[in-house]
Amino acid sequence: MPDFTDNYLKQLEKNAMIYVVVVPIPFVEKDSFIIFTNTKNRDFTFADIEMILLSVKRIGLELKHFEDEKKIKEQEHAFALAEGMRTVVHQVGAPLAAIHNQLDNLAKGRIPQELISKRSVAIGHQIAYSKRQLTSFQRILELDVKPIIPVIAPIENFTSYLIYKSMAFRAMAESKGIHIRVKNNVSNEKFDNFYTDEKLLDEVLTCLLDNAVKYSFKSTDLARNKIKFDPSYYGSDGNILIDPNNNFSELTFSVTNWGCQILEDEKTKIFQRHFRGSYANEFSPLGSGLGLYLVKKIVEALNGKIEVLTEKNKATFFVKFKK
């Protein structure tokens, strides 16, 4: 029994409490106990003691369960960090190795003169991809220690903004025989005074376009899969389509591509950390399952939401922002 002080005993006496039962809490690693007190005019009965012991046992089990859950979460977090580091090494290391090989071949004259320009463009794509991956991983690591805090400023012409940002991916898309098109189906004036964090929105659009190109069919695949592709028509199936829309209450844009199939039961899972769809590896073995997880976190921080609609080999990601 604990060594009670005089003050504690006097307080019991003052409140007409005299009978004391001290019960150790089972299943808990640290020494712990619960103190029960009773009034002067009533002793603890056997039934009281039995009920107390059962209650304390239940408390002990609940505390043990809580501690076990805490340990499991700590282990999962440590595993996720280790897995994340392995992913960083793989996602950044593989393109860097490819860049090194390409530069080594150029330096030693192994590339025919007529292919040097094409190989230089490929190296530029690989460098840009590595930089995007590093930016994403840095943001993911930051999410574990601090929330995303947007810095709000106006984007004056949203359609022009989308066209400008898509230009970075056009060469990649055209290397697959497809094109990135931005629909201009509303007047530019309607997009004036859209307030958001442009740097964060850049990350969202970059990831969605990177995925759209990475997981799209080549033009030859479109024909084989009987997708009606007309390269001369900007709205043709097979192209990557960016569609901005604006109304009184919200601004939205969508990114549509034809290629990697997203199964119905995977539509919500693809926004989870480290999840990749069943068919993702067929299109790109380089994938961390972090991009869409990060996109969802950023969109929510910008007071928006994201969802995906699928139709066999067609996928459309909708991003909506309240105004």
Side-chain angles (χ1 to χ4, degrees), residues 159 183-187 191 234 243-245:
T159 301
K183 291 185 179 180
N184 194 5
N185 52 8
V186 291
S187 65
F191 285 108
Y234 89 98
D243 186 8
N245 279 288

Side-chain angles (χ1 to χ4, degrees), residues 141-196:
L141 292 174
E142 289 175 353
L143 281 178
D144 291 331
V145 295
K146 62 181 181 181
I148 298 174
I149 302 176
V151 179
I152 304 301
I155 295 180
E156 293 184 358
N157 189 314
F158 192 63
T159 301
S160 297
Y161 162 82
L162 293 174
I163 293 171
Y164 175 73
K165 293 301 178 181
S166 68
M167 290 175 64
F169 296 89
R170 295 201 171 190
M172 290 175 60
E174 289 170 3
S175 70
K176 303 181 80 168
I178 59 177
H179 305 275
I180 299 177
R181 309 291 190 180
V182 179
K183 291 185 179 180
N184 194 5
N185 52 8
V186 291
S187 65
N188 289 336
E189 289 79 13
K190 290 185 179 180
F191 285 108
D192 286 349
N193 300 321
F194 171 55
Y195 290 83
T196 189

Side-chain angles (χ1 to χ4, degrees), residues 47-110:
D48 293 334
I49 299 298
E50 190 175 49
M51 182 183 67
I52 288 171
L53 292 175
L54 287 173
S55 299
V56 174
K57 183 178 180 180
R58 177 60 184 270
I59 292 171
L61 288 170
E62 291 289 340
L63 289 173
K64 183 177 185 299
H65 175 73
F66 176 79
E67 289 295 326
D68 290 344
E69 286 288 314
K70 184 179 178 182
K71 289 179 181 177
I72 290 171
K73 288 180 179 179
E74 289 174 351
Q75 291 171 354
E76 289 176 346
H77 181 66
F79 177 78
L81 286 177
E83 192 67 23
M85 292 304 298
R86 283 193 289 270
T87 302
V88 170
V89 172
H90 177 66
Q91 294 294 310
V92 179
L96 286 177
I99 292 168
H100 176 270
N101 290 336
Q102 296 271 28
L103 291 174
D104 187 56
N105 289 333
L106 284 172
K108 294 179 178 178
R110 297 172 184 156

Side-chain angles (χ1 to χ4, degrees), residues 18 68 79 82 128-129 158 186 203 207 225 240 256 277 314 319:
I18 194 63
D68 290 344
F79 177 78
Y129 175 80
F158 192 63
V186 291
E203 292 188 48
C207 179
N225 284 274
I240 295 169
T256 301
K314 177 183 177 182
V319 180

Side-chain angles (χ1 to χ4, degrees), residues 296-312:
K296 188 172 186 294
K297 291 291 184 182
I298 292 176
V299 169
E300 290 173 347
L302 294 174
N303 194 30
K305 60 181 180 179
I306 183 170
E307 59 185 17
V308 59
L309 297 181
T310 59
E311 181 184 334
K312 198 176 178 181

Side-chain angles (χ1 to χ4, degrees), residues 88 90-106 111 116-135 137 168-169 171-172 175 210 213-214 286:
V88 170
H90 177 66
Q91 294 294 310
V92 179
L96 286 177
I99 292 168
H100 176 270
N101 290 336
Q102 296 271 28
L103 291 174
D104 187 56
N105 289 333
L106 284 172
I111 308 297
I116 289 178
S117 177
K118 187 176 181 180
R119 292 293 176 88
S120 298
V121 172
I123 291 171
H125 290 164
Q126 290 166 336
I127 292 173
Y129 175 80
S130 296
K131 288 174 67 177
R132 289 196 297 271
Q133 289 296 311
L134 283 172
T135 299
F137 289 130
F169 296 89
M172 290 175 60
S175 70
D210 188 49
V213 176
K214 188 189 303 180
L286 285 177

